[in-house]
Amino acid sequence: MALTFDDGPHPEGTPAVLEVLDGAGIKATFFLVGEQVERRPALAAEIAARGHVVALHGYRHRPQPALRGRAVEDDLARGATAIAEAAGVKPVWHRPPYGLYSPAGLEAARARGLKPLLWSRWGKDWRRLTTPERIAGRVLRDLGAGDVILLHDADFYSAKGSHARTAEALKLIVRELKRQKTGTVLPL
Ligand SMILES: [Zn+2]
């Protein structure tokens, strides 16, 4: 299975998630937002330096269906460039904001050699009224081989402070995965 984190890098959320992952010896994939990477390039570089996969979420966090003309291609190009310049890695995987592809956006992603990846499990960790236990419970319910787990290491586009609940939930998830020995968590 794979653990994926969207919307970063975030000055508090990303280091907190990295600490839990590194403590557990687990590698994950981070779908970064270009405009956030430009604000904190060193943090994007650190994700890659610690052996995690850096992937593309977009340059701005806008739903693709709202973008007109060449805007979606420009957004992908700008986002990929921001990540490559900060982390020194050309992103291979792509997940659009809200998981929403427009036909033009999917075509543009494929034309750039990006591989689309959505998810099969989520913790709904962006919600204002949730808890680490609820997030972890939602992720772990019926979790199996091949599942792709969606979480968020940033609160830029979700409830304020949500990343703190996510980091706590991640500790519970990691503990349960180790206890069950159900599978290996792999980066993409
Ligand atoms: Zn997002």
Side-chain angles (χ1 to χ4, degrees), residues 5-8 31 33 57 61 95-99 150-152 157:
F5 296 89
D6 287 10
D7 295 358
F31 287 88
V33 181
H57 199 33
H61 201 272
R95 172 184 293 156
Y98 312 102
L150 165 66
L151 291 167
H152 298 77
Y157 317 105

Side-chain angles (χ1 to χ4, degrees), residues 12-172:
E12 293 150 44
T14 304
V17 162
L18 285 174
E19 192 183 320
V20 179
L21 291 173
D22 290 358
I26 289 174
K27 303 295 184 217
T29 301
F30 291 78
F31 287 88
L32 304 178
V33 181
E35 65 181 5
Q36 304 302 342
V37 170
E38 286 182 350
R39 290 183 187 121
R40 297 170 195 87
L43 204 42
E46 191 178 340
I47 294 169
R50 292 201 193 193
H52 302 285
V53 175
V54 288
L56 177 63
H57 199 33
Y59 179 77
R60 293 186 61 205
H61 201 272
R62 299 277 317 279
Q64 283 193 352
L67 303 177
R68 292 283 167 260
R70 285 193 49 84
V72 69
E73 288 163 74
D74 293 345
D75 186 89
L76 291 175
R78 233 177 136 185
T81 300
I83 291 170
E85 285 180 356
V89 181
K90 189 173 168 231
V92 172
W93 296 95
H94 174 251
R95 172 184 293 156
Y98 312 102
L100 287 175
Y101 273 110
S102 63
L106 185 57
E107 196 178 309
R110 291 203 164 123
R112 296 191 66 81
L114 291 164
K115 296 191 207 173
L117 186 84
L118 298 179
W119 62 86
S120 59
R121 295 275 162 228
W122 62 16
K124 298 199 174 177
D125 57 340
W126 60 85
R127 289 178 165 180
R128 188 169 63 86
L129 295 173
T130 189
T131 63
E133 290 75 17
R134 283 175 69 179
I135 295 166
R138 205 181 276 276
V139 164
L140 291 165
R141 199 179 305 141
D142 302 324
L143 188 66
D147 271 327
V148 175
I149 300 165
L150 165 66
L151 291 167
H152 298 77
D153 59 326
D155 66 349
F156 299 122
Y157 317 105
S158 53
K160 196 170 183 329
S162 64
H163 55 81
R165 289 187 286 275
T166 300
E168 288 305 309
L170 182 60
K171 291 179 191 169
L172 302 175

